[in-house]
Amino acid sequence: MTPSGTIALPSRREQNKLATRQAIADAALAVLRSKGAGNFTVEDIAEEAGVSRRTFFNYFPSLEAALASVTEGFLDHALEQFRLRPSDEPILDSARAALMALADPMTVSPMAELFSLTHDNRALVRSELEAWDHCTTQIIDAARRRLGPDVNELYLRALAGSIISCGKAAMSVWFEQHGPDLSAESLASLRQHLIDAIGLLGSGFTAPAPQTPSAHSPQPAADSQHSA
């Protein structure tokens, strides 16, 4: 933010650095997709991205960190939306609204694909942990900016940890229901799970009412045969 209140645009150099970082992150996911977990190296990612090994390490300290940045990208977008919310809005309302603002289900696609490709590989699960740790720190910083420097530290850390746990739960339930399916319908389900998980946290985990068949729901096949 500039003194006049306008948003400062990144310089050309900063834009180039962001583009290179994104290219490496995209390459990490592409190589994971093509070679499979545990079957590639930093050199493979650098080659896919069209950069040197040295350049790779200028941006990421490890292969796992490059993969973690895929999930971090989505979480950073959500935090950008959070920061745009009214300063007097309850934080969990802001968090839920931020996720809802990411209306295109495809925004969760890279994160969903990374989870699908690494969930059963213990070595690469570290990439997911790094991403969620990054987001925990970002949530704490964003909440502290909202609430002021005197906010209770235990509250901040418990809040951030709870939000992250809800995110992990949403990812796990989605994967159990849809597996590696990355269709628009499946990704829309993941987005909704993320929104609903934050809603549960905001309600104090009030148990949702059991789902009951709608009066307009289709009748079971057996019933329809008897009525034919």
Side-chain angles (χ1 to χ4, degrees), residues 46-66:
E47 181 179 356
E48 177 73 19
V51 301
S52 67
R53 185 175 186 275
R54 179 177 179 180
T55 297
F56 175 96
F57 284 112
N58 284 339
Y59 288 87
F60 297 104
S62 66
L63 181 153
E64 290 83 7

Side-chain angles (χ1 to χ4, degrees), residues 162-228:
S162 297
I163 291 174
I164 291 302
S165 293
C166 284
K168 290 178 178 179
M171 294 289 295
S172 296
V173 170
W174 165 77
F175 190 76
E176 288 174 5
Q177 293 175 342
H178 296 275
D181 177 14
L182 297 176
S183 65
E185 181 181 3
S186 173
L187 295 175
S189 175
L190 172 56
R191 173 180 172 272
Q192 192 60 49
H193 280 326
L194 291 166
I195 293 169
D196 290 345
I198 297 300
L200 287 172
L201 180 58
S203 71
F205 287 101
T206 300
Q211 292 183 341
T212 56
S214 166
H216 301 289
S217 298
Q219 293 297 315
D223 291 344
S224 62
Q225 288 173 358
H226 286 302
S227 63

Side-chain angles (χ1 to χ4, degrees), residues 5 7 22 28 36 38 44 75 95-96 102 105 113-114 124 139 145 170 180 184-185 187 198 200-201 212 219 225 228:
I7 297 176
Q22 186 61 53
D44 293 324
L75 300 176
R96 192 167 184 272
L102 301 174
E113 184 174 13
L114 179 65
L124 290 183
I139 292 172
R145 287 175 181 270
E185 181 181 3
L187 295 175
I198 297 300
L200 287 172
L201 180 58
T212 56
Q219 293 297 315
Q225 288 173 358

